[in-house]
């Protein structure tokens, strides 16, 4: 059986061209976004002043949360824990987490949160304060002041 010289030369060229096109096609696909479940808003709002301490604090995040790996701890101005129990991720809105708290006569509260994104498994941490009354002072340092890495958000938190 005689082989055609042109066909022998075209097969390797076609193979290389096919591989090159596959490589280009894979590089032009849209990359999958990977982000942390950063804090978008809260009630009470970060750095706000409310007339009385709430019994529940609600945090809204950019991504769905893993309930088993997400929590909130709250401190009064003296560094005493005032959150009661583990924070709950809303089953109807997994981007929302609430925590019960027992307010005292503190003028300021520190909210420290950590979570794991259900979307991509990335962890994030952060904190913010809110004040009670018209002339509230800032809370004293707590273990959360160790900080984190990454870009902060408008709620004054560090993303890790």
């Amino acid at each position: 059986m005689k082989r055609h010289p042109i066909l022998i030369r075209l097969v390797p060229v076609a193979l290389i061209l096919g591989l090159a096109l596959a490589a280009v096609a894979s590089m032009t696909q849209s990359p999958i976004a990977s982000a942390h479940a950063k804090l978008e808003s809260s009630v009470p709002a970060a750095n706000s002043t409310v007339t009385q301490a709430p019994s529940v604090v609600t945090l809204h995040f950019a991504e769905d949360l893993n309930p088993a790996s997400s929590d909130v701890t709250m401190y009064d101005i003296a560094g005493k824990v005032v959150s009661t129990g583990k924070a709950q991720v809303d089953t109807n809105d997994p981007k929302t987490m609430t925590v019960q708290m027992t307010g005292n006569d503190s003028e300021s509260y520190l909210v420290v949160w950590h979570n794991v994104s259900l979307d991509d498994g990335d962890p994030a941490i952060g904190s913010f304060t809110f004040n009670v009354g018209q002339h509230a002072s800032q809370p004293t340092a707590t273990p959360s002041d160790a900080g984190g890495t990454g870009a902060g958000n408008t709620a004054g938190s560090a993303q890790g």
Side-chain angles (χ1 to χ4, degrees):
M1 184 167 160
K2 187 175 178 183
R3 296 188 181 188
H4 295 338
I6 295 176
L7 187 59
I8 292 173
R9 287 187 211 147
L10 287 179
V11 169
V13 171
L15 184 60
I16 291 171
L17 183 59
L19 290 173
L21 287 174
V24 169
S26 69
M27 291 187 307
T28 60
Q29 296 292 325
S30 299
I32 297 173
S34 177
H36 301 289
K38 71 177 185 170
L39 182 65
E40 289 191 328
S41 65
S42 65
V43 177
N47 305 316
S48 67
T49 300
V50 295
T51 56
Q52 63 182 10
S55 60
V56 176
V57 173
T58 303
L59 292 82
H60 301 279
F61 294 90
E63 296 181 17
D64 291 350
L65 304 177
N66 179 337
S69 304
S70 302
D71 203 5
V72 178
T73 304
M74 296 186 50
Y75 300 90
D76 68 8
I77 199 163
K80 177 184 170 194
V81 174
V82 294
S83 49
T84 57
K86 183 168 172 37
Q88 300 297 310
V89 174
D90 187 335
T91 55
N92 294 320
D93 179 9
K95 294 179 182 179
T96 300
M97 185 165 44
T98 58
V99 65
Q100 303 285 324
M101 72 169 277
T102 302
N104 54 25
D105 291 334
S106 184
E107 294 178 334
S108 297
Y109 294 92
L110 175 66
V111 180
V112 180
W113 56 267
H114 66 90
N115 66 40
V116 173
S117 168
L118 197 58
D119 298 339
D120 58 20
D122 285 343
I125 62 171
S127 65
F128 65 90
T129 60
F130 67 89
N131 305 304
V132 177
Q134 293 185 4
H135 302 291
S137 59
Q138 294 299 312
T140 56
T142 67
S144 70
D145 290 332
T149 59
N153 65 32
T154 59
S157 68
Q159 305 293 320

